């Protein structure tokens, strides 16, 4: 039982819009970890970010994690 959410990252403007971007995932995971949020990579191309919070996660913790994820995505795309 529990929650798992995933985001697939692709390279914008490359090919048909489905070109995996594993390097971006590594940057997102690193930036999130620096801020105290542990995420996982997945997928055959390493271009998926998985978020698997425990069942006891509070609403405040979800808000904090989403803020960190937003910052990490911003950092990785810069």
């Amino acid at each position: 039982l529990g929650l798992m959410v995933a985001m697939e990252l692709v390279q914008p403007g490359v090919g048909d819009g489905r070109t995996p971007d594993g390097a971006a995932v590594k940057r997102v995971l690193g930036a999130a970890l620096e801020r105290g949020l542990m995420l996982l990579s997945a997928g055959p191309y390493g271009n998926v970010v998985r978020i698997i919070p425990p069942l006891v996660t509070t609403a405040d913790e979800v808000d904090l994690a989403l803020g960190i994820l937003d910052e990490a995505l911003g950092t990785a795309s810069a």
Side-chain angles (χ1 to χ4, degrees), residues 3-76:
L3 169 68
M4 180 178 75
V5 177
M7 298 181 297
E8 182 178 13
L9 301 185
V10 295
Q11 297 177 26
V14 176
D16 62 359
R18 298 182 295 172
T19 303
D21 197 346
V25 169
K26 289 180 184 179
R27 292 191 303 270
V28 169
L29 268 56
L33 188 58
E34 287 175 2
R35 291 163 173 80
L37 178 63
M38 292 175 48
L39 301 170
L40 299 171
S41 64
Y45 305 105
N47 68 313
V48 176
V49 176
R50 287 196 311 179
I51 305 166
I52 309 174
L55 289 173
V56 296
T57 303
T58 66
D60 288 341
E61 290 169 332
V62 170
D63 290 341
L64 177 61
L66 289 174
I68 292 171
L69 180 58
D70 184 46
E71 289 177 17
L73 287 165
T75 300

